[in-house]
Amino acid sequence: MADSQSASVPQPLFSFGVVADVQYADKDNGEYESRIQRYREAPNKLQEAVNTFNSVKQDLLFALTLGDIIDGNTTLEKTRADFHVILEILCKLDVPTCHLLGNHCLSLPRDEVLKALNMPARYYQTDLKAGWKLVVLDSMDMSLNWPEDTENYKAAADFLKAYPLGQANPQMSLWNGGIGSVQLSWLAALLKDAERDVVKLIVAGHHPVVGGSALTTHLVWNHQEVASMLVKSPAVVLYLCGHYHPGGYELVDQTHFVTVEAILEAPTKSKAHGLVHVYDHEIAIEGFGTVKSYNLKLP
């Protein structure tokens, strides 16, 4: 009887772990919008996430970090030391990892971060189970965090000039960034291929791209263009991000946009991580601590 009952419970096609905005630094607590940033507590909370993921490693395909694993410290030497603290914890994971770049990650040189995290590129795609892919975006692609003689810097400067920070463009703070033309062309081709091959896509980036999933002050610079591409594609079922620490959710047509709550602002003795279980017609996010749980219906 028990065996038949357990056999009737649908099993996910695959599952993965997720964390957002560890943002560790060896410095005293901060405060932003009346929320406390508990920098020194972050490593223990990341370790709790690693423990959870390792406890179900036989069921996990990978673990995903959504950027800003460090905050940045007063010197490059201190920032690098903070980074190594986090790397040592991540090395304890018994499942593969996928990473992406956040704005605070760029307190260290891009190439150093990419190499240390074994990222194949700033933006990339990877096969999951049959019929599913993960697409990782670089939402700091168009930003001033580049040498001034680069095309990325020039594109960012031009965009900032055309859309200055203000009431009409609240997203244009330098803690956000944009997705440049080369990456957008890459994404458009990828979406077309996925639609042709009937592949479902989970897209991940550091910054939110739709209002409702975050305050407009925390969106990608060219969020309307990016969101429109994602929503128009029947291949895209879920966009996962961090950056906006309280988290959020928005459904646009049939595309789910989930902002995962930050480890950094989880209360003392709490935790903040999740397990994502993917089924044919549903994605269930199982939240731990301050990370919210969702049952997201798929078309």
Side-chain angles (χ1 to χ4, degrees):
M1 184 72 171
D3 287 344
S4 64
Q5 284 181 335
S6 60
S8 67
V9 176
Q11 295 301 306
L13 301 173
F14 61 92
S15 300
F16 61 93
V18 64
V19 296
D21 297 81
V22 179
Q23 226 166 301
Y24 168 62
D26 183 14
K27 58 187 180 184
D28 294 341
N29 287 354
E31 185 174 334
Y32 179 73
E33 295 180 340
S34 300
R35 304 191 311 268
I36 303 300
Q37 286 81 53
R38 299 173 175 85
Y39 297 107
R40 290 195 178 104
E41 294 182 18
N44 285 340
K45 291 168 184 170
L46 177 60
Q47 183 62 60
E48 288 206 46
V50 169
N51 293 344
T52 296
F53 302 160
N54 285 347
S55 72
V56 291
K57 62 184 179 182
Q58 69 279 2
D59 300 322
L60 296 189
L61 203 55
F62 64 99
L64 173 66
T65 71
L66 292 169
D68 282 5
I69 60 176
I70 53 170
D71 184 69
N73 216 315
T74 53
T75 67
L76 190 62
E77 182 181 13
K78 288 182 177 180
T79 299
R80 194 166 278 129
D82 294 341
F83 189 41
H84 284 294
V85 169
I86 297 304
L87 289 176
E88 287 182 5
I89 297 171
L90 291 173
C91 283
K92 298 174 185 176
L93 271 167
D94 293 332
V95 296
T97 53
C98 292
H99 302 282
L100 54 82
L101 294 175
N103 52 301
H104 283 276
C105 296
L106 301 182
S107 54
L108 289 175
R110 262 186 188 80
D111 289 347
E112 181 178 340
V113 176
L114 290 172
K115 182 178 179 181
L117 294 177
N118 198 30
M119 291 174 60
R122 293 186 290 112
Y123 51 92
Y124 59 94
Q125 63 172 321
T126 185
D127 292 334
L128 301 175
K129 291 291 186 178
W132 287 82
K133 288 186 178 183
L134 173 70
V135 178
V136 170
L137 301 181
D138 175 15
S139 56
M140 291 300 288
D141 177 33
M142 185 166 56
S143 71
L144 298 185
N145 291 88
W146 291 92
E148 293 185 13
D149 60 347
T150 62
E151 290 301 318
N152 299 72
Y153 182 95
K154 293 172 185 175
D158 289 345
F159 201 87
L160 281 161
K161 187 176 180 179
Y163 303 96
L165 176 64
Q167 190 171 1
N169 304 297
Q171 79 278 15
M172 294 304 297
S173 293
L174 297 185
W175 62 60
N176 303 325
I179 295 180
S181 59
V182 174
Q183 187 178 176
L184 287 174
S185 295
W186 170 85
L187 177 60
L190 189 154
L191 295 176
K192 186 177 179 180
D193 288 347
E195 291 160 18
R196 180 198 63 214
D197 298 336
V198 196
V199 171
K200 291 179 180 178
L201 302 178
I202 295 172
V203 182
H206 180 62
H207 291 81
V209 296
V210 297
S213 68
L215 295 181
T216 53
T217 52
H218 285 65
L219 302 182
V220 165
W221 285 354
N222 54 336
H223 58 91
Q224 291 174 324
E225 183 178 14
V226 178
S228 177
M229 291 177 67
L230 300 179
V231 170
K232 286 179 180 177
S233 175
V236 179
V237 296
L238 172 63
Y239 179 81
L240 277 174
C241 65
H243 188 57
Y244 182 61
H245 295 175
Y249 169 78
E250 188 70 16
L251 176 65
V252 183
D253 292 342
Q254 293 183 308
T255 308
H256 300 277
F257 293 85
V258 176
T259 305
V260 178
E261 291 77 7
I263 277 183
L264 177 65
E265 294 184 6
T268 301
K269 296 184 179 179
S270 184
K271 57 189 74 171
H273 55 270
L275 295 172
V276 182
H277 307 291
V278 177
Y279 301 85
D280 280 321
H281 298 292
E282 181 181 70
I283 295 178
I285 299 178
E286 179 186 357
F288 294 76
T290 56
V291 170
K292 293 183 178 67
S293 295
Y294 297 94
N295 289 303
L296 310 173
K297 300 300 181 183
L298 304 183

